[in-house]
Amino acid sequence: MNSSPDLHAHSTASDGTLSPALLMARAGAAGVKVMALTDHDTLEGLPEAAVAAEAQGLAFVPGVEISVSWGGRTIHIVGLGVDAENASLQEGLAGLRTFRDWRAEEMGRRLEKAGYAGVLERAREFSNGRLIGRTHFARALVDLGHAETVRAVFQRFLVRGKPGHVPGEWAELADAVGWIRAAGGQAVIAHPARYGFTRSKLRRLVDDFIAAGGEGIEVISGSHSRDETLNMANLARQSGLLGSAGSDYHGPENPWIELGRLPALPANVRPIWHDWPSIPAPRVATVAPEGA
Ligand code: AMP
Ligand code: MN
Ligand code: MN
Ligand code: MN
């Protein structure tokens, strides 16, 4: 039985490959009790996920992963427990999606100029009319035979200095945290060890984040090594941030990451869920009327 909360995962509403409902079914089958959906810059998958999670007896945490430009780089801020009806969050995310649409066209133009035709069209097929991101371009470039793996595509085409790269112009850190808080959620720094920041730059990010009202940091991430986990646990303790945990699952194509398969939070980090009223409903009896 795996009861670790999994507070970071993607569906087809952004760059995951499972629908929100299939994602929740997989979480239930994996023994997860508390599961979030945190798609990039969209809330579109949340209603479907909430219904499917209830059918599984899962405690569902509606979330989002917001793209932010900070310190000349792109970072990601997860929002947990957000109200999907909140106008300020919705409007903020809509602005980011407008940039995404422009960026996709610009990526298509740059790749075309570099001799790779038809990539935007194929990427659009992979995104299936929903939010489009670099992962869809990566799948398109693999599909068109320009690279062997999605990972290789990023190195060759989609990172800084490569032909398909377009610099991000994302949300301000304080705005992203503000939208999350306006929607009643808690803001969390996603996969902090992935940014390649020095200790002092990471510390600066944490300071700015706390000043904006941020509360948590992913100590446990599907992308963290053991050492990175311990470093981030220390950072959480020193800065007073709550610790979060999430697989950053994108689909069964990456078999090295599985829903809920996460190490425990180090004991001296206070979990972000410490005061959540998240006693999951039992698998049966989810249809009992309120107050019964
Ligand atoms: P975007 O927000 O559209 O710029 O895309 C960012 C997403 O691309 C991340 O959430 C990952 O899913 C994926 N990604 C970023 N870097 C890599 C990489 N080096 N290898 C594989 N996937 C990556
Ligand atoms: Mn992604
Ligand atoms: Mn991310
Ligand atoms: Mn993610």
Side-chain angles (χ1 to χ4, degrees), residues 15 40 100 103 133-135 154-155 250:
D15 60 358
H40 297 285
R100 275 186 181 278
R103 182 187 68 161
R134 283 188 295 163
T135 307
F154 271 88
Q155 300 318 313
H250 280 72

PDB file of all heavy atoms in Angstrom, residues 15 40 100 103 133-135 154-155 250, ligand 1:
ATOM      1  N   ASP A  15       0.691  18.580 -20.965  1.00  0.00           N
ATOM      2  CA  ASP A  15       1.611  17.717 -21.724  1.00  0.00           C
ATOM      3  C   ASP A  15       1.727  16.296 -21.180  1.00  0.00           C
ATOM      4  O   ASP A  15       2.685  15.593 -21.489  1.00  0.00           O
ATOM      5  CB  ASP A  15       2.998  18.373 -21.846  1.00  0.00           C
ATOM      6  CG  ASP A  15       3.652  18.646 -20.495  1.00  0.00           C
ATOM      7  OD1 ASP A  15       3.023  18.364 -19.457  1.00  0.00           O
ATOM      8  OD2 ASP A  15       4.794  19.146 -20.495  1.00  0.00           O
ATOM      9  N   HIS A  40       0.134  22.266 -16.679  1.00  0.00           N
ATOM     10  CA  HIS A  40       0.795  23.530 -16.970  1.00  0.00           C
ATOM     11  C   HIS A  40      -0.219  24.585 -17.414  1.00  0.00           C
ATOM     12  O   HIS A  40      -0.892  24.429 -18.446  1.00  0.00           O
ATOM     13  CB  HIS A  40       1.795  23.368 -18.125  1.00  0.00           C
ATOM     14  CG  HIS A  40       2.925  22.420 -17.848  1.00  0.00           C
ATOM     15  ND1 HIS A  40       3.979  22.730 -17.028  1.00  0.00           N
ATOM     16  CD2 HIS A  40       3.167  21.164 -18.306  1.00  0.00           C
ATOM     17  CE1 HIS A  40       4.831  21.713 -17.006  1.00  0.00           C
ATOM     18  NE2 HIS A  40       4.358  20.740 -17.770  1.00  0.00           N
ATOM     19  N   ARG A 100       1.856  31.086 -24.993  1.00  0.00           N
ATOM     20  CA  ARG A 100       2.157  29.735 -25.492  1.00  0.00           C
ATOM     21  C   ARG A 100       1.784  29.576 -26.971  1.00  0.00           C
ATOM     22  O   ARG A 100       2.518  28.953 -27.736  1.00  0.00           O
ATOM     23  CB  ARG A 100       1.363  28.684 -24.705  1.00  0.00           C
ATOM     24  CG  ARG A 100       2.027  28.259 -23.445  1.00  0.00           C
ATOM     25  CD  ARG A 100       1.281  27.117 -22.777  1.00  0.00           C
ATOM     26  NE  ARG A 100       1.995  26.795 -21.567  1.00  0.00           N
ATOM     27  CZ  ARG A 100       3.076  26.022 -21.527  1.00  0.00           C
ATOM     28  NH1 ARG A 100       3.515  25.419 -22.621  1.00  0.00           N
ATOM     29  NH2 ARG A 100       3.716  25.824 -20.406  1.00  0.00           N
ATOM     30  N   ARG A 103       4.228  31.500 -28.990  1.00  0.00           N
ATOM     31  CA  ARG A 103       5.529  30.824 -28.932  1.00  0.00           C
ATOM     32  C   ARG A 103       5.538  29.593 -29.835  1.00  0.00           C
ATOM     33  O   ARG A 103       6.531  29.312 -30.521  1.00  0.00           O
ATOM     34  CB  ARG A 103       5.861  30.409 -27.498  1.00  0.00           C
ATOM     35  CG  ARG A 103       7.237  29.747 -27.386  1.00  0.00           C
ATOM     36  CD  ARG A 103       7.510  29.172 -26.009  1.00  0.00           C
ATOM     37  NE  ARG A 103       6.653  28.035 -25.707  1.00  0.00           N
ATOM     38  CZ  ARG A 103       6.903  27.133 -24.767  1.00  0.00           C
ATOM     39  NH1 ARG A 103       7.984  27.241 -24.011  1.00  0.00           N
ATOM     40  NH2 ARG A 103       6.062  26.142 -24.560  1.00  0.00           N
ATOM     41  N   GLY A 133       2.787  22.808 -25.802  1.00  0.00           N
ATOM     42  CA  GLY A 133       4.053  23.075 -25.123  1.00  0.00           C
ATOM     43  C   GLY A 133       5.219  22.401 -25.825  1.00  0.00           C
ATOM     44  O   GLY A 133       5.052  21.748 -26.864  1.00  0.00           O
ATOM     45  N   ARG A 134       6.385  22.586 -25.237  1.00  0.00           N
ATOM     46  CA  ARG A 134       7.583  22.021 -25.865  1.00  0.00           C
ATOM     47  C   ARG A 134       7.530  20.504 -25.947  1.00  0.00           C
ATOM     48  O   ARG A 134       8.109  19.908 -26.870  1.00  0.00           O
ATOM     49  CB  ARG A 134       8.829  22.462 -25.086  1.00  0.00           C
ATOM     50  CG  ARG A 134       9.226  23.894 -25.371  1.00  0.00           C
ATOM     51  CD  ARG A 134      10.559  24.214 -24.736  1.00  0.00           C
ATOM     52  NE  ARG A 134      10.482  24.169 -23.284  1.00  0.00           N
ATOM     53  CZ  ARG A 134      11.532  24.082 -22.475  1.00  0.00           C
ATOM     54  NH1 ARG A 134      12.755  23.996 -22.969  1.00  0.00           N
ATOM     55  NH2 ARG A 134      11.370  24.074 -21.175  1.00  0.00           N
ATOM     56  N   THR A 135       6.859  19.864 -24.988  1.00  0.00           N
ATOM     57  CA  THR A 135       6.774  18.402 -25.024  1.00  0.00           C
ATOM     58  C   THR A 135       6.079  17.928 -26.301  1.00  0.00           C
ATOM     59  O   THR A 135       6.458  16.903 -26.874  1.00  0.00           O
ATOM     60  CB  THR A 135       6.024  17.893 -23.777  1.00  0.00           C
ATOM     61  OG1 THR A 135       6.654  18.446 -22.626  1.00  0.00           O
ATOM     62  CG2 THR A 135       6.067  16.386 -23.685  1.00  0.00           C
ATOM     63  N   PHE A 154      15.077  17.610 -26.675  1.00  0.00           N
ATOM     64  CA  PHE A 154      15.264  18.815 -25.879  1.00  0.00           C
ATOM     65  C   PHE A 154      16.703  19.307 -26.013  1.00  0.00           C
ATOM     66  O   PHE A 154      16.933  20.490 -26.262  1.00  0.00           O
ATOM     67  CB  PHE A 154      14.878  18.554 -24.413  1.00  0.00           C
ATOM     68  CG  PHE A 154      13.420  18.811 -24.156  1.00  0.00           C
ATOM     69  CD1 PHE A 154      12.480  17.810 -24.344  1.00  0.00           C
ATOM     70  CD2 PHE A 154      12.984  20.062 -23.757  1.00  0.00           C
ATOM     71  CE1 PHE A 154      11.129  18.053 -24.117  1.00  0.00           C
ATOM     72  CE2 PHE A 154      11.633  20.313 -23.535  1.00  0.00           C
ATOM     73  CZ  PHE A 154      10.703  19.305 -23.711  1.00  0.00           C
ATOM     74  N   GLN A 155      17.648  18.390 -25.863  1.00  0.00           N
ATOM     75  CA  GLN A 155      19.053  18.800 -25.948  1.00  0.00           C
ATOM     76  C   GLN A 155      19.397  19.382 -27.319  1.00  0.00           C
ATOM     77  O   GLN A 155      20.151  20.347 -27.420  1.00  0.00           O
ATOM     78  CB  GLN A 155      19.991  17.611 -25.665  1.00  0.00           C
ATOM     79  CG  GLN A 155      19.804  16.982 -24.286  1.00  0.00           C
ATOM     80  CD  GLN A 155      19.614  18.006 -23.188  1.00  0.00           C
ATOM     81  OE1 GLN A 155      20.354  18.987 -23.098  1.00  0.00           O
ATOM     82  NE2 GLN A 155      18.600  17.806 -22.345  1.00  0.00           N
ATOM     83  N   HIS A 250       4.050  12.294 -16.151  1.00  0.00           N
ATOM     84  CA  HIS A 250       3.548  12.761 -17.455  1.00  0.00           C
ATOM     85  C   HIS A 250       2.925  11.633 -18.281  1.00  0.00           C
ATOM     86  O   HIS A 250       2.370  11.914 -19.345  1.00  0.00           O
ATOM     87  CB  HIS A 250       4.668  13.409 -18.277  1.00  0.00           C
ATOM     88  CG  HIS A 250       4.986  14.827 -17.899  1.00  0.00           C
ATOM     89  ND1 HIS A 250       5.641  15.166 -16.737  1.00  0.00           N
ATOM     90  CD2 HIS A 250       4.737  16.003 -18.529  1.00  0.00           C
ATOM     91  CE1 HIS A 250       5.784  16.493 -16.676  1.00  0.00           C
ATOM     92  NE2 HIS A 250       5.246  17.025 -17.752  1.00  0.00           N
TER      93      HIS A 250
HETATM   94  P1  AMP B   1       7.029  24.259 -21.750  1.00  0.00           P
HETATM   95  O1  AMP B   1       6.333  24.650 -20.473  1.00  0.00           O
HETATM   96  O2  AMP B   1       6.082  24.141 -22.899  1.00  0.00           O
HETATM   97  O3  AMP B   1       8.223  25.114 -22.063  1.00  0.00           O
HETATM   98  O4  AMP B   1       7.558  22.786 -21.544  1.00  0.00           O
HETATM   99  C1  AMP B   1       8.159  22.389 -20.344  1.00  0.00           C
HETATM  100  C2  AMP B   1       7.983  20.892 -20.208  1.00  0.00           C
HETATM  101  O5  AMP B   1       8.879  20.244 -21.091  1.00  0.00           O
HETATM  102  C3  AMP B   1       8.346  20.353 -18.848  1.00  0.00           C
HETATM  103  O6  AMP B   1       7.228  20.397 -17.987  1.00  0.00           O
HETATM  104  C4  AMP B   1       8.699  18.936 -19.147  1.00  0.00           C
HETATM  105  O7  AMP B   1       7.523  18.163 -19.273  1.00  0.00           O
HETATM  106  C5  AMP B   1       9.323  19.031 -20.505  1.00  0.00           C
HETATM  107  N1  AMP B   1      10.803  19.101 -20.463  1.00  0.00           N
HETATM  108  C6  AMP B   1      11.564  20.167 -20.179  1.00  0.00           C
HETATM  109  N2  AMP B   1      12.874  19.875 -20.290  1.00  0.00           N
HETATM  110  C7  AMP B   1      12.932  18.574 -20.645  1.00  0.00           C
HETATM  111  C8  AMP B   1      13.985  17.662 -20.916  1.00  0.00           C
HETATM  112  N3  AMP B   1      15.267  18.044 -20.851  1.00  0.00           N
HETATM  113  N4  AMP B   1      13.659  16.399 -21.257  1.00  0.00           N
HETATM  114  C9  AMP B   1      12.377  16.013 -21.344  1.00  0.00           C
HETATM  115  N5  AMP B   1      11.331  16.812 -21.095  1.00  0.00           N
HETATM  116  C10 AMP B   1      11.607  18.077 -20.748  1.00  0.00           C
END
